[in-house]
Amino acid sequence: MATLFQGLKAITPFHVSNSNDYLFPCHRSLSERKGRIFVVRSDARLSQALCTGTRKNELLITNAVATKENSTASSTSSKPGHELLLFEALREGLEEEMDRDPTVCVIGEDVGHYGGSYKVTKGLATKFGDLRVLDTPIAENSFTGMGIGAATAGLRPIIEGMNMGFLLLAFNQISNNCGMLHYTSGGQFKIPIVIRGPGGVGRQLGAEHSQRLESYFQSIPGIQMVACSTPYNAKGLMKAAIRSDNPVILFEHVLLYNLKDRIPDEEYVLSLEEAEMVRPGEHVTILTYSRMRYHVMQAAKTLVNKGYDPEVIDIRSLKPFDLYTIGNSVKKTHRVLIVEECMRTGGIGASLTAAITENFHDYLDAPIVCLSSQDVPTPYAGTLEEVTVVQPAQIVTAVEQLCQ
């Protein structure tokens, strides 16, 4: 293995320095995907698209104001910057970092000339060559381990899992090597690696392709985890993850890739450890992330119409939590609702509940409420699949009960 990477460094036209990234492409058939996704805006209209057709959600008021400041906002086309889909924003951030740092590379199945299963790496192999955008066999454990080895040798690999569920095959590499080598080597090795890919409950992808691995990876020492939810934070988090000297897992939701919004023309990099205040409010703190952000904002329309003033925070950083932002909100509202797509048992919501209870218990006027997916394999049938995931109507009911 060492010989392989020495050979790569010897024949590649780029210099290997302290900052290095490699992405390895993955190979799996498109027949494994059934993503029926619409191009939508990064506001509550996405939730309507994702949740139409259910009687429960017909009760929601879809034309009420969900935010305080943007009730008369101008059209998206009048905003500065350029408009991108979320997967395009990820690609733009990745391409910029590959231009900036010649040690950044991509490893995975079909990430090369095919462009990745969701086209995040489209065109990169043509621009940067097959050694910096490396297609691999269907062997997650092997190419993840190869990426970790590349990181220890001075590169900055980006590992793409065609589906996050497939990375369970690489769990040993991620837990025993990726997260621990910096410590077990006495600080001799840095592991500047990004592991990313699509996950979450899609549109009838079945149990094995609807995995939410946040709960699996959160207990691994030495790993940072972030979840993107908009084109803006997708690009900013991608760039930050690549530049980090720590191993970072970037969670992307399969139903958000075609979410469209404008992002700045200027370069920007987001913090890996900061939450985003989506909507300021006074009555209750709603903590969420990824796709559930849009279910929450759809529910917020109904709540505002009913006289409630929810504060919505996209926690973004799943490990570590931004307890500064979360704590200030709890001190203001004194009530907390957590909404996640992760499983209830051992999920992000459970860890977040423990952290808030430990640090801000005295500021709570009511028990923390957590809405999570049911602890069952995700059904293939669409109607059953929907029942297992938190819906906006449930969020409205939970807030009403919490604020009584």
Side-chain angles (χ1 to χ4, degrees):
M1 185 63 69
T3 303
L4 169 63
F5 286 112
Q6 289 172 3
L8 279 175
K9 290 189 283 185
I11 63 177
T12 50
F14 51 87
H15 171 66
V16 178
S17 62
N18 291 334
S19 62
N20 301 309
D21 284 13
Y22 272 74
L23 288 173
F24 298 89
C26 315
H27 300 283
R28 263 199 185 83
S29 167
L30 281 176
S31 64
E32 295 179 331
R33 300 185 291 106
K34 283 194 176 181
R36 291 173 285 185
I37 309 172
F38 298 96
V39 176
V40 290
R41 304 289 177 183
S42 59
D43 54 23
R45 282 176 288 173
L46 173 65
S47 298
Q48 295 169 7
L50 294 176
C51 303
T52 53
T54 63
R55 292 186 177 180
K56 290 186 293 184
N57 294 322
E58 288 173 358
L59 301 175
L60 295 176
I61 298 169
T62 58
N63 58 357
V65 177
T67 60
K68 292 180 176 179
E69 54 271 80
N70 292 327
S71 57
T72 59
S74 59
S75 66
T76 303
S77 60
S78 66
K79 296 179 182 178
H82 55 289
E83 195 170 64
L84 290 177
L85 302 176
L86 190 143
F87 79 89
E88 294 172 328
L90 287 167
R91 181 172 65 225
E92 184 171 276
L94 176 54
E95 184 176 1
E96 288 178 5
E97 291 305 298
M98 293 184 76
D99 280 329
R100 185 188 68 86
D101 184 350
T103 64
V104 175
C105 58
V106 181
I107 304 173
E109 301 158 3
D110 279 344
V111 299
H113 293 280
Y114 183 72
S117 56
Y118 290 90
K119 303 306 176 185
V120 173
T121 58
K122 183 180 180 181
L124 298 184
T126 301
K127 180 175 181 179
F128 297 105
D130 293 340
L131 285 176
R132 292 189 68 190
V133 186
L134 182 62
D135 273 320
T136 70
I138 301 175
E140 285 79 5
N141 187 61
S142 298
F143 68 70
T144 301
M146 184 166 62
I148 295 169
T152 65
L155 300 173
R156 289 185 176 269
I158 303 161
I159 305 297
E160 175 178 311
M162 185 174 287
N163 182 283
M164 273 296 188
F166 303 154
L167 290 179
L168 287 175
L169 297 168
F171 193 86
N172 174 65
Q173 294 287 357
I174 296 171
S175 60
N176 283 329
N177 293 324
C178 185
M180 299 185 186
L181 272 177
H182 181 68
Y183 172 78
T184 57
S185 69
Q188 296 180 73
F189 293 120
K190 294 179 180 178
I191 316 294
I193 190 171
V194 179
I195 299 172
R196 52 154 297 270
V201 178
R203 280 287 180 268
Q204 293 183 261
L205 299 182
E208 293 181 354
H209 290 189
S210 301
Q211 295 275 29
R212 287 132 288 177
L213 299 189
E214 307 95 293
S215 59
Y216 291 70
F217 293 130
Q218 66 173 328
S219 61
I220 301 174
I223 295 283
Q224 285 189 271
M225 303 195 312
V226 291
C228 60
S229 55
T230 68
Y232 175 80
N233 66 39
K235 178 181 177 180
L237 292 174
M238 170 70 87
K239 292 171 71 70
I242 292 173
R243 297 185 187 190
S244 174
D245 284 334
N246 297 314
V248 179
I249 301 178
L250 173 59
F251 292 94
E252 305 155 12
H253 200 287
V254 66
L255 289 183
L256 298 186
Y257 278 127
N258 280 24
L259 175 65
K260 181 179 284 188
D261 201 2
R262 285 190 172 269
I263 65 174
D265 292 327
E266 301 78 15
E267 183 182 33
Y268 65 94
V269 180
L270 298 180
S271 170
L272 293 174
E273 300 179 4
E274 288 185 5
E276 176 188 352
M277 179 65 68
V278 181
R279 182 192 190 280
E282 299 289 338
H283 294 162
V284 59
T285 297
I286 305 180
L287 305 174
T288 188
Y289 65 93
S290 191
R291 175 195 175 194
M292 287 296 109
R293 167 177 175 153
Y294 299 98
H295 283 212
V296 168
M297 290 307 293
Q298 184 178 347
K301 295 180 178 183
T302 300
L303 291 168
V304 168
N305 190 74
K306 291 186 173 187
Y308 296 99
D309 188 15
E311 179 152 292
V312 179
I313 295 176
D314 184 341
I315 63 173
R316 288 198 314 209
S317 176
L318 308 184
K319 183 182 179 182
F321 296 131
D322 179 5
L323 291 180
Y324 177 81
T325 300
I326 294 170
N328 284 339
S329 180
V330 172
K331 292 174 184 178
K332 177 173 62 174
T333 67
H334 309 292
R335 292 174 175 82
V336 177
L337 172 63
I338 301 169
V339 181
E340 62 175 347
E341 193 178 85
C342 198
M343 300 300 185
R344 182 171 185 81
T345 301
I348 295 297
S351 297
L352 197 52
T353 298
I356 295 172
T357 301
E358 182 177 347
N359 291 278
F360 309 109
H361 179 267
D362 289 346
Y363 296 95
L364 294 172
D365 289 344
I368 299 171
V369 176
C370 183
L371 298 179
S372 311
S373 293
Q374 296 186 32
D375 287 337
V376 297
T378 304
Y380 175 78
T383 52
L384 296 178
E385 177 185 70
E386 185 178 79
V387 171
T388 68
V389 179
V390 178
Q391 300 298 328
Q394 296 171 266
I395 300 170
V396 172
T397 300
V399 170
E400 289 175 330
Q401 294 175 349
L402 192 56
C403 293
Q404 285 180 353

